[in-house]
Amino acid sequence: MIFNPLNNDMTSATELHSKRQYDTYPLDSKQLIAAYKVMRLTRLFDHKCIALQRTGQIGTYPSCEGAEAIGVGTAQAMRSDDVFVPYYRDQAAQIVRGVQLEEMLLYWGGDERGSDFKGPRQDMPNCIPISTQCTHACGIASAFKIRHQKRVSVCSLGDGATSKGDFAEALNLAAVWQLPVVFVINSNQWAISVPRHRQCAAKQLIDKATAAGFTGVQVDGNNFGAVVTTVAAAIARARAGKGPGLIECLSYRLSDHTTADDASRYRQKRELEQARQQDPLTQLSAQLRARGEWNDSLEAELNAHCHRHIDRAVANYQNTPIRSAESMFEHLYAERPAQLDWQFARIKTQELNDE
Ligand SMILES: Cc1ncc(C[n+]2csc(CCOP(=O)(O)OP(=O)(O)O)c2C)c(N)n1
Ligand SMILES: [Mg+2]
């Protein structure tokens, strides 16, 4: 166990969340304020993305509401030359890593150029297939080890993803090869409509690390301080050659699964309302206000700044020329197989007709 500010009973998430331990973390105000600003930007960007999807301007979108402290904490614990291996709900971490908002909009708008990050070139693109990124993260960590590089591969995944074979295989390999890889679980209590207790019978997901031969740590994923401190400790161990880490961040998915979902059909309003009281943004802002380092006027200034930043990104996204449909055939094969020729020809004709 590296650091565990909370008890380990996974069954009482509400009780865990109510144990506020902000002041036990030796974080300076500058770091907390910086984290809060990105968390707010992420939240406002997230709401904007939902509005863009509802008006047909991007495709299906997975909200990250409730996961902001996990994302920002994880990314702030990393060094820039580490590699982040995300899943689809990692907007917060990607913003900290330097992925641009318009790149995210391009991605969720169905344009592959959104994964061609101008900032963190070495980070992996979003992974939609559940858990497959876990073995990729091991491959990356293995390369670091072979090259004697002091870099760490940080893999993000959901609680449901820990039920996949890929995850078990990745943990096994990471432990046997003592790889510099850290897995961070956004344990948000749901896998689409399947609740946590029906997804896995283990009381805590970190027990899966124990089975693989290393130690995991469970933290309050709504508490930025807890996340950043714990992930940083695991990354430091991995960087020092002491093997893999697993952090289970207890959280709650405050949104629908995606814009294609309606969670009110399968979960209780009361449960959501209770979870909202543990909102990671409200908690961090309360902490800062209690220290006299945040107030309504700073909040208003921050909101205005975020809206300007988001509006610029949306305009850039909307002004990006759409790629030709035939570009979907690029970079797939050195030589296009004959069976795709008729599709290619059909698209070309269609495009000429559209002109
Ligand atoms: C290999 C694979 N199987 C099934 C799906 C369909 N699917 C999309 S999201 C999801 C649930 C994932 O839940 P979890 O890992 O808890 O992540 P969360 O969405 O809650 O953040 C499933 C089953 C998929 N994307 N990939
Ligand atoms: Mg989940």
Side-chain angles (χ1 to χ4, degrees):
M1 191 74 55
I2 304 159
F3 175 73
N4 189 352
L6 305 167
N7 75 44
N8 277 337
D9 186 359
M10 182 58 218
T11 54
S12 58
T14 316
E15 186 192 325
L16 286 176
H17 294 324
S18 69
K19 294 195 174 188
R20 300 181 182 194
Q21 311 224 353
Y22 308 126
D23 293 318
T24 58
Y25 306 110
L27 291 163
D28 67 30
S29 300
K30 237 174 104 183
Q31 193 177 357
L32 291 179
I33 291 171
Y36 180 69
K37 287 180 172 175
V38 192
M39 283 163 66
R40 177 60 65 197
L41 174 65
T42 307
R43 176 70 58 91
L44 293 172
F45 176 65
D46 193 66
H47 289 178
K48 184 70 182 179
C49 287
I50 293 169
L52 289 170
Q53 189 281 331
R54 296 289 187 240
T55 50
Q57 297 177 77
I58 60 170
T60 301
Y61 172 79
S63 167
C64 63
E65 190 164 352
E68 294 89 348
I70 300 172
V72 175
T74 299
Q76 283 203 356
M78 294 174 66
R79 284 208 316 226
S80 57
D81 68 340
D82 291 334
V83 172
F84 185 53
V85 189
Y87 81 117
Y88 47 80
R89 219 181 284 287
D90 274 314
Q91 296 89 323
Q94 287 183 318
I95 291 175
V96 177
R97 296 287 294 161
V99 177
Q100 297 180 1
L101 301 188
E102 53 250 53
E103 290 173 336
M104 293 188 203
L105 291 169
L106 277 172
Y107 177 83
W108 293 111
D111 190 324
E112 66 182 346
R113 288 174 296 181
S115 296
D116 187 14
F117 308 139
K118 289 185 196 67
R121 301 289 303 162
Q122 76 284 13
D123 283 3
M124 295 295 276
N126 286 344
C127 190
I128 305 286
I130 302 300
S131 217
T132 55
Q133 76 277 22
C134 300
T135 43
H136 303 162
C138 286
I140 293 163
S142 178
F144 293 158
K145 189 162 179 164
I146 290 166
R147 293 173 183 168
H148 301 289
Q149 291 176 333
K150 294 277 175 214
R151 298 166 70 190
V152 177
S153 161
V154 178
C155 178
S156 174
L157 64 148
D159 42 1
T162 67
S163 299
K164 284 275 310 294
D166 316 49
F167 178 70
E169 291 162 24
L171 258 54
N172 188 61
L173 191 68
V176 171
W177 286 3
Q178 286 292 285
L179 296 177
V181 58
V182 173
F183 300 92
V184 180
I185 305 170
N186 172 3
S187 203
N188 64 10
Q189 316 305 315
W190 292 92
I192 313 185
S193 56
V194 180
R196 167 66 178 76
H197 68 273
R198 282 184 54 212
Q199 178 72 236
C200 172
K203 270 200 164 181
Q204 38 184 31
L205 299 175
I206 53 172
D207 290 347
K208 300 191 184 197
T210 310
F214 64 103
T215 307
V217 183
Q218 204 178 49
V219 294
D220 178 354
N222 288 324
N223 185 325
F224 165 76
V227 175
V228 71
T229 315
T230 312
V231 177
I235 289 179
R237 281 188 80 253
R239 202 182 306 284
K242 294 180 180 167
L246 174 76
I247 315 297
E248 180 184 4
C249 303
L250 296 168
S251 65
Y252 193 88
R253 198 191 74 211
L254 294 175
S255 60
D256 292 334
H257 171 67
T258 65
T259 48
D261 176 45
D262 174 6
S264 69
R265 294 179 61 180
Y266 56 79
R267 70 180 183 191
Q268 299 296 319
K269 203 171 161 201
R270 214 171 64 87
E271 183 181 305
L272 179 61
E273 279 163 6
Q274 266 180 357
R276 280 205 180 283
Q277 287 170 18
Q278 312 303 326
D279 185 321
L281 272 76
T282 316
Q283 296 204 45
L284 186 49
S285 119
Q287 181 187 4
L288 289 168
R289 283 171 190 262
R291 291 183 182 188
E293 280 153 356
W294 200 251
N295 56 42
D296 288 351
S297 114
L298 287 171
E299 182 72 34
E301 205 179 301
L302 172 63
N303 278 294
H305 173 78
C306 291
H307 283 301
R308 279 196 299 277
H309 186 47
I310 292 166
D311 288 348
R312 253 196 322 271
V314 172
N316 288 344
Y317 163 64
Q318 288 168 333
N319 292 331
T320 304
I322 291 173
R323 299 194 78 186
S324 67
E326 66 200 71
S327 69
M328 76 173 93
F329 293 92
E330 288 168 7
H331 312 303
L332 287 175
Y333 300 96
E335 280 175 42
R336 193 173 57 246
Q339 66 268 31
L340 293 182
D341 281 349
W342 71 271
Q343 293 184 14
F344 186 72
R346 201 169 141 202
I347 279 172
K348 261 193 107 75
T349 321
Q350 183 70 41
E351 279 192 345
L352 289 175
N353 290 343
D354 288 348
E355 275 170 12

